[in-house]
Amino acid sequence: MSNPESFRELCRKEIHTGPTSGVLPGYIQANLLILPKCVAESFEDLCTRNPVACPILSKTEGRPQFLRNHASLIKQGTFDIRTDFPRYNVYSRGKLVQQKNNCVNEWSSDHVGFLIGCSFTFEHALEKAGLVPKNVLYNKNVSMFRTTKFLDSAGIFHQCPYVVSMRPYKLTEVEIVREITRKFKKTHGEPLDWGYDGAKRLGI
């Protein structure tokens, strides 16, 4: 694929249904969270208080085909937040109940979709520096862990644990990894911690 428009079409047609690590290097990637309007303000406040863990890139405004700052984000073709992601996890009362390739039937006018910066964005910069992430090398999803470190609370969102991704590097490579990823503040930035001691501090 050569551009985001063609990739969105692959998702829309349910051709690409897996992780997006290594897809379209050089473009920003996002995770998606869709919530009822009644808690959307609290969630946005949570993100404001925790900009490293939850960097908001945009959110839907009025309809699923339109984003805040739409023109600066979607430069070509059409966009629909209900169909243009590879996979949707559907939760009910905090429990995963279904995985689908679109959420057209679940979406209603009572929903707000948030785009949260994704760390896959900086993987290309690591590759260019000769530090190819293992998940890219082996075409796997990145390792993820729930920590014992909590976000600053907001509204109904309290005791929310940090969830971190992990990319293995040698200790001698950590500083250059930090230097490279530090620039990507809208997609989590540099590592929160590292090494075995870091894993212990995070409760992993």
Side-chain angles (χ1 to χ4, degrees):
M1 70 207 72
S2 59
N3 58 63
E5 180 184 5
S6 61
F7 180 69
R8 290 197 298 272
E9 186 175 357
L10 290 178
C11 296
R12 202 174 298 141
K13 292 180 177 179
E14 301 182 5
I15 296 171
H16 187 107
T17 59
T20 58
S21 178
V23 172
L24 289 170
Y27 287 93
I28 195 166
Q29 292 205 32
N31 293 300
L32 169 64
L33 187 70
I34 298 174
L35 294 168
K37 284 182 180 178
C38 62
V39 298
E41 185 176 348
S42 289
F43 179 73
E44 191 160 5
D45 190 18
L46 180 78
C47 294
T48 300
R49 296 182 185 190
N50 301 275
V52 174
C54 305
I56 291 183
L57 300 176
S58 189
K59 67 176 184 177
T60 54
E61 291 195 334
R63 52 195 173 92
Q65 298 90 354
F66 193 77
L67 299 168
R68 182 173 61 189
N69 303 322
H70 189 91
S72 65
L73 294 170
I74 309 297
K75 297 183 182 297
Q76 295 177 315
T78 59
F79 171 78
D80 192 323
I81 209 164
R82 304 168 301 174
T83 60
D84 293 3
F85 284 73
R87 186 68 62 88
Y88 296 78
N89 290 334
V90 181
Y91 288 83
S92 177
R93 299 184 182 276
K95 302 292 185 181
L96 177 64
V97 295
Q98 199 172 9
Q99 290 187 317
K100 304 184 69 175
N101 294 329
N102 68 71
C103 66
V104 172
N105 292 333
E106 287 74 20
W107 178 274
S108 76
S109 59
D110 186 50
H111 284 118
V112 179
F114 291 90
L115 298 184
I116 306 296
C118 175
S119 63
F120 289 166
T121 303
F122 57 59
E123 289 181 335
H124 181 56
L126 292 169
E127 286 188 69
K128 287 173 65 177
L131 298 166
V132 183
K134 290 292 191 292
N135 55 296
V136 175
L137 186 64
Y138 296 111
N139 194 30
K140 301 287 186 180
N141 202 2
V142 71
S143 300
M144 288 173 274
F145 299 89
R146 181 178 294 181
T147 74
T148 55
K149 180 180 175 66
F150 292 101
L151 303 177
D152 291 338
S153 300
I156 68 164
F157 296 97
H158 55 91
Q159 289 192 311
C160 301
Y162 273 76
V163 174
V164 296
S165 58
M166 187 281 290
R167 294 167 179 83
Y169 286 103
K170 297 176 182 178
L171 185 58
T172 54
E173 297 170 332
V174 169
E175 284 306 314
I176 185 63
V177 168
R178 292 181 66 198
E179 182 181 340
I180 291 169
T181 56
R182 187 177 297 133
K183 304 168 188 175
F184 293 83
K185 297 187 185 301
K186 277 294 186 180
T187 55
H188 304 304
E190 66 178 295
L192 193 62
D193 217 325
W194 52 89
Y196 290 111
D197 289 341
K200 289 180 181 178
R201 284 190 288 269
L202 293 173
I204 297 172

